[in-house]
Amino acid sequence: MGKMKISDLVVILEGQVVCCEDKLGCEIGGFAASDLLSDILAFEQESYALLTGLTNVQVLRTAEITSAHCVVILRGKQPQPAAVALARRSGVPLILSDCGMFEACCRIC
């Protein structure tokens, strides 16, 4: 995967942007896809997109710690209100997609 803008990722995944639309022009250089936050914490990359099926506030905290440029919640799940609030406060775009994990990874690659 080459560099792409978050807005490109939204189109590829047929996503819906929940917040931080002003950051959609930021570039991402890769992605991590996991429902295990411990795996994400061990991931050593900056400027990446975090793809997950988790909907809680810990996902946004993990994104902050690991310098993720956006979080994509997959499988048509809805984020918890506290997660949306933290995404807004921290300026991390939150995107929803109906894609499953495997399909999302295939579309990006």
Side-chain angles (χ1 to χ4, degrees):
M1 176 191 137
K3 289 207 178 237
M4 73 170 70
K5 292 183 179 180
I6 296 172
S7 59
D8 298 328
L9 183 65
V10 172
V11 171
I12 290 168
L13 297 179
E14 299 176 30
Q16 171 192 351
V17 180
V18 175
C19 66
C20 304
E21 292 86 352
D22 60 320
K23 303 281 178 81
L24 297 182
C26 293
E27 285 192 340
I28 52 174
F31 69 96
S34 182
D35 289 341
L36 295 173
L37 295 179
S38 58
D39 287 349
I40 300 300
L41 289 168
F43 186 65
E44 293 184 22
Q45 184 170 341
E46 293 183 6
S47 308
Y48 75 98
L50 170 51
L51 282 60
T52 187
L54 301 175
T55 62
N56 56 35
V57 70
Q58 286 82 2
V59 171
L60 275 298
R61 293 195 194 288
T62 301
E64 285 181 311
I65 291 168
T66 60
S67 301
H69 275 319
C70 66
V71 172
V72 181
I73 297 177
L74 301 169
R75 300 190 284 270
K77 294 184 176 185
Q78 294 297 311
Q80 295 177 359
V84 175
L86 182 56
R88 283 194 176 106
R89 279 196 311 272
S90 59
V92 175
L94 186 58
I95 302 158
L96 308 180
S97 175
D98 288 335
C99 291
M101 187 83 70
F102 181 77
E103 180 186 355
C105 293
C106 290
R107 285 186 181 198
I108 294 169
C109 289

